[in-house]
Amino acid sequence: QVHLVESGGGLVQAGGSLRLSCAASGRTFNTNAGWFRQAPGKEREFVAAITWSGGRTYYADSVKGRFTISRDNAKNTVYLQMNSLKPEDTAVYYCAVDSDVAGSRRTYEYDYWGQGTQVTVSS
């Protein structure tokens, strides 16, 4: 069992930055991980993913060049650095781990999820 806790969300103006963290506890954390987001009235969507070693990263086209996913396995933590934020980035952001497929964009391929952290970008 893995327990995930996201933090770092908040209110920011367009063009600003936030850094989300996802801290894991429980069994080994060395698994593929991802970030997803869900805006009101919309389905949860893929944002970024990273392999267990951190050697490969994957991004949705909408965030490529603005967001960076990284991880520190010694700290059992995955990060999402978000720069040049736009109002359309407003959503609840979730981290997820334990996908057998590196870079998976499918929610059902992740076994464990955090509770989410709200990101609001004002125009």
Side-chain angles (χ1 to χ4, degrees):
Q1 191 77 8
V2 177
H3 182 60
L4 303 175
V5 178
E6 300 100 333
S7 61
L11 173 64
V12 64
Q13 289 188 332
S17 298
L18 285 173
R19 188 193 196 201
L20 305 184
S21 298
C22 174
S25 60
R27 65 166 179 79
T28 180
F29 180 63
N30 292 344
T31 64
N32 296 319
W35 284 95
F36 290 75
R37 66 187 181 188
Q38 187 166 18
K42 295 188 177 181
E43 292 187 353
R44 193 168 298 188
E45 65 174 4
F46 171 78
V47 174
I50 189 166
T51 55
W52 69 270
S53 67
R56 292 200 65 178
T57 56
Y58 308 81
Y59 297 95
D61 288 343
S62 59
V63 307
K64 200 173 295 183
R66 300 187 298 123
F67 290 11
T68 303
I69 188 172
S70 62
R71 67 190 300 161
D72 184 340
N73 287 344
K75 296 182 178 179
N76 285 351
T77 303
V78 177
Y79 304 98
L80 185 68
Q81 177 67 43
M82 305 186 296
N83 298 329
S84 302
L85 283 161
K86 304 175 182 180
E88 51 263 44
D89 294 319
T90 295
V92 177
Y93 283 71
Y94 299 89
C95 69
V97 300
D98 210 14
S99 168
D100 291 333
V101 180
S104 173
R105 298 168 182 253
R106 301 178 178 87
T107 57
Y108 62 82
E109 289 184 332
Y110 291 85
D111 292 333
Y112 300 101
W113 291 80
Q115 83 291 346
T117 185
Q118 177 71 47
V119 171
T120 303
V121 185
S122 63
S123 57

